Amino acid sequence: MARLDSQLEQATPAVPRIFFGRDHLIEEGTDYVTNNAQAFLAILGPGGIGKTALAQKIIEMEAVKEKFEKRSHFIPCDILPNVASLIQGLLQCLKIPAQEGKGQVEMLNDYLRLDARHMLLVLDNFETLWYNNENRTGIQNFLEKLFNFKHVSILVTMRGPDGPGSVEWYKLGTGSGIPPLSVDAARKVFCAIAGNRPDLSEKTEAVDKLLKELDYVPLAIRLIAQRARTSPIESLLRMWKDGKTSILKEGKGDFSRLTSVECSIQLSVDLLSKAAHDLLSVISFLPNGIPLWVDNLRSMLPNFENLDISVAELLDCSLVLSHE
């Protein structure tokens, strides 16, 4: 177990120090978690939109700390391949020692039955478990059992339009998930990371153009702002025009969802079936998407099978957005 404990710690990112434009979401999430005896909070949206950072900011709020004391536990699910590893991770976070003659599920259940103090489980990047069809039944059954412990609140961050399981999740933000940053917040994040250099403040139009190109997505802004420490804004615009998301990465070598936009997108793509992957390839060449797709998609792509199922997969992973 010691090895997994170390992996969980290493996979948990630091709480971001540079953070703008999300105060209302932090307040909304904090109020919901602290004012409900049992809370089911879902932070939803595409990769790079700042779901993990929001979860971390919420559990750092004094009101949340006061309610749960030291019983808020952050579990990065993207390194957990199945329900067994999730249960093992929970045992590690809760510091439940091994007991001879008892399985891991029994040990966890005994602990939760005996300690009825308020507890908050933060299941970060939960889509990596939930959308894995090999694990779905086991994960579903395990969640349903967790839901029955009335003192256990759950916060999930995941890509998709809804939280997992059969409970009614409180969705933070808009109906489609966490929105991009406002223009003003995006500028503040960019300048705080790039450094408040005079040349940047004099080129606000160019900076705004670059931020608009990035759709005001926090991860993309952070990565391009790091390049702005050494590269002129005009060079960054040319780099974006030539390389698009390939330039949005930090460092060299192995990349993760937190250091590369392409890696973050790939995590969602890896969850797709071949049919959904092929459909995404077609849609990616359509700059305006598919207007009135419910009516037009089948006539546009008559040779594609299981179109509705493929669209549902893309929506579940937040790789497309429906305006219908």
Side-chain angles (χ1 to χ4, degrees):
M1 281 193 181
R3 184 178 176 184
L4 179 58
D5 187 40
S6 175
Q7 289 176 334
L8 290 171
E9 184 176 349
Q10 292 174 17
T12 300
V15 180
R17 297 179 61 187
I18 297 173
F19 199 78
F20 297 102
R22 302 300 205 195
D23 289 351
H24 63 295
L25 292 173
I26 295 172
E27 183 179 354
E28 180 186 347
T30 300
D31 288 346
Y32 171 74
V33 168
T34 55
N35 293 327
N36 288 273
Q38 186 178 31
F40 299 112
L41 178 63
I43 302 179
L44 308 169
I49 205 68
K51 302 181 296 295
T52 297
L54 261 174
Q56 291 177 303
K57 288 292 187 179
I58 289 171
I59 63 177
E60 285 293 308
M61 296 297 288
E62 286 302 318
V64 176
K65 288 182 176 181
E66 183 178 340
K67 176 177 178 179
F68 297 101
E69 296 180 349
K70 294 184 178 181
R71 293 183 298 279
S72 293
H73 305 284
F74 187 98
I75 299 104
C77 295
D78 49 320
I79 67 166
L80 304 175
N82 50 46
V83 66
S85 61
L86 174 60
I87 294 169
Q88 185 180 350
L90 287 171
L91 293 176
Q92 290 281 1
C93 290
L94 298 173
K95 295 181 169 56
I96 301 174
Q99 301 174 46
E100 188 174 352
K102 286 189 177 182
Q104 293 185 340
V105 174
E106 185 180 3
M107 288 189 294
L108 179 61
N109 287 338
D110 286 349
Y111 178 89
L112 294 177
R113 277 194 295 266
L114 292 172
D115 190 340
R117 295 175 296 174
H118 285 298
M119 176 188 301
L120 177 62
L121 301 178
V122 182
L123 305 178
D124 186 48
N125 265 37
F126 195 70
E127 73 280 348
T128 53
L129 284 170
W130 187 245
Y131 293 128
N132 186 331
N133 289 329
E134 295 178 3
N135 294 329
R136 176 61 71 88
T137 300
I139 291 292
Q140 172 83 25
N141 292 338
F142 177 68
L143 278 181
E144 297 295 336
K145 292 170 184 174
L146 274 184
F147 296 156
N148 289 330
F149 290 100
K150 302 303 181 184
H151 60 288
V152 176
S153 293
I154 301 177
L155 189 166
V156 296
T157 76
M158 62 187 294
R159 306 172 190 211
D162 206 352
S166 60
V167 300
E168 183 177 355
W169 293 89
Y170 182 91
K171 301 177 187 179
L172 194 63
T174 65
S176 58
I178 301 303
L181 294 175
S182 67
V183 176
D184 182 61
R187 282 196 209 106
K188 289 179 178 178
V189 171
F190 180 86
C191 292
I193 296 173
N196 290 293
R197 306 196 318 259
D199 60 319
L200 288 179
S201 61
E202 294 169 1
K203 298 177 179 178
T204 55
E205 185 175 339
V207 170
D208 285 352
K209 180 180 179 181
L210 180 60
L211 296 176
K212 184 177 181 180
E213 288 285 328
L214 300 176
D215 293 325
Y216 309 109
V217 173
L219 175 61
I221 293 169
R222 177 173 67 81
L223 295 175
I224 201 75
Q226 289 173 346
R227 287 186 176 272
R229 292 170 178 169
T230 55
S231 299
I233 192 71
E234 295 84 358
S235 176
L236 291 176
L237 283 165
R238 289 194 296 269
M239 290 165 63
W240 171 255
K241 181 179 179 181
D242 294 338
K244 298 298 182 183
T245 56
S246 65
I247 71 167
L248 300 178
K249 55 190 176 183
E250 177 182 46
K252 297 180 180 180
D254 294 334
F255 296 107
S256 72
R257 64 182 177 87
L258 299 177
T259 59
S260 165
V261 167
E262 288 192 343
C263 183
S264 179
I265 295 171
Q266 190 63 43
L267 284 174
S268 293
V269 173
D270 288 344
L271 299 172
L272 299 176
S273 64
K274 183 181 184 303
H277 188 281
D278 291 344
L279 178 59
L280 179 64
S281 298
V282 172
I283 294 174
S284 66
F285 284 99
L286 304 174
N288 296 318
I290 302 176
L292 302 173
W293 69 266
V294 173
D295 299 320
N296 296 330
L297 185 61
R298 192 163 297 281
S299 60
M300 291 176 61
L301 303 170
N303 296 324
F304 272 69
E305 297 182 0
N306 301 318
L307 272 176
D308 290 324
I309 294 175
S310 296
V311 169
E313 284 189 51
L314 297 178
L315 290 169
D316 282 345
C317 295
S318 293
L319 286 167
V320 297
L321 180 65
S322 175
H323 295 289
E324 299 295 321

